[in-house]
């Protein structure tokens, strides 16, 4: 991993001010099996939902907001599925993407402390280089992908 960063976002739609954060992870050149990529995309939304529940902040409205925030990841998943299995309506791809949620949830259960170890410093600093993120997660950052920062 090269780095991971958060970008604050603010908008003023007719319903009132909205504050949010978007995140980007730069992995550099690497091959990821489509099933692993789809599981990763599913894990983002599930991690957010889990954090809300564990923090006592879960409400149906927040759950909906998290789901809406994951629309970009869902779109990426549909693109991958469409590329490998053309000719299915988008709703079919959405349903197919849901099957990756159980694997994503199992990974979150097994590695939740790692997620939290990275989330705290990332949230407070807004950016971590790949070596920092890997160390916080207790994972290696392969030399060919390690950041030069």
């Amino acid at each position: 991993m090269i780095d991971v960063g958060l970008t604050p976002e603010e908008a003023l739609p007719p319903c009132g001010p909205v504050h949010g954060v978007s995140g980007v992870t730069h992995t550099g050149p690497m091959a990821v099996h489509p099933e692993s990529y789809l599981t990763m995309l599913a894990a983002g939304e599930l991690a957010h939902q889990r954090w809300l529940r564990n923090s006592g902040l879960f409400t149906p409205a927040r759950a909906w907001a998290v789901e809406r925030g994951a629309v970009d990841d869902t779109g990426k998943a549909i693109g991958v599925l469409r590329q490998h299995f053309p000719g299915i309506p988008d709703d079919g791809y959405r349903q197919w993407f849901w099957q990756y949620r159980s694997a994503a949830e199992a990974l979150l259960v097994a590695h939740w402390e790692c997620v939290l170890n990275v989330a705290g410093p990332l949230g407070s600093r807004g950016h971590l280089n790949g070596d920092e993120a890997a160390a916080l997660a207790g994972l290696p950052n392969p030399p060919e992908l390690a950041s030069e920062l």
Side-chain angles (χ1 to χ4, degrees):
M1 172 186 346
I2 296 171
D3 68 353
V4 59
L6 300 174
T7 304
E9 297 177 342
E10 296 190 23
L12 190 56
C15 62
V18 176
H19 305 278
V21 175
S22 64
V24 175
T25 301
H26 297 103
T27 57
M30 61 188 296
V32 177
H33 192 277
E35 289 185 356
S36 298
Y37 183 64
L38 292 165
T39 301
M40 178 199 73
L41 291 171
E45 178 184 350
L46 293 173
H48 198 163
Q49 299 282 6
R50 181 184 176 118
W51 182 84
L52 286 172
R53 285 190 306 275
N54 290 354
S55 300
L57 298 171
F58 185 89
T59 65
R62 288 183 177 137
W64 177 83
V66 169
E67 183 179 333
R68 295 299 305 148
V71 166
D72 182 59
D73 287 345
T74 300
K76 289 175 183 174
I78 289 170
V80 168
L81 290 167
R82 184 180 288 128
Q83 179 182 2
H84 291 281
F85 306 98
I88 298 172
D90 281 357
D91 285 345
Y93 291 123
R94 282 186 181 84
Q95 291 172 2
W96 197 341
F97 177 46
W98 270 74
Q99 77 176 341
Y100 294 94
R101 293 173 70 90
S102 61
E105 185 62 39
L107 286 168
L108 288 171
V109 167
H111 302 286
W112 188 243
E113 289 303 315
C114 295
V115 171
L116 295 178
N117 289 343
V118 174
L122 180 60
S124 64
R125 293 174 38 196
H127 180 269
L128 296 172
N129 70 43
D131 294 330
E132 294 168 325
L136 288 165
L139 299 169
N141 195 21
E144 65 274 11
L145 300 177
S147 78
E148 297 179 16
L149 300 177

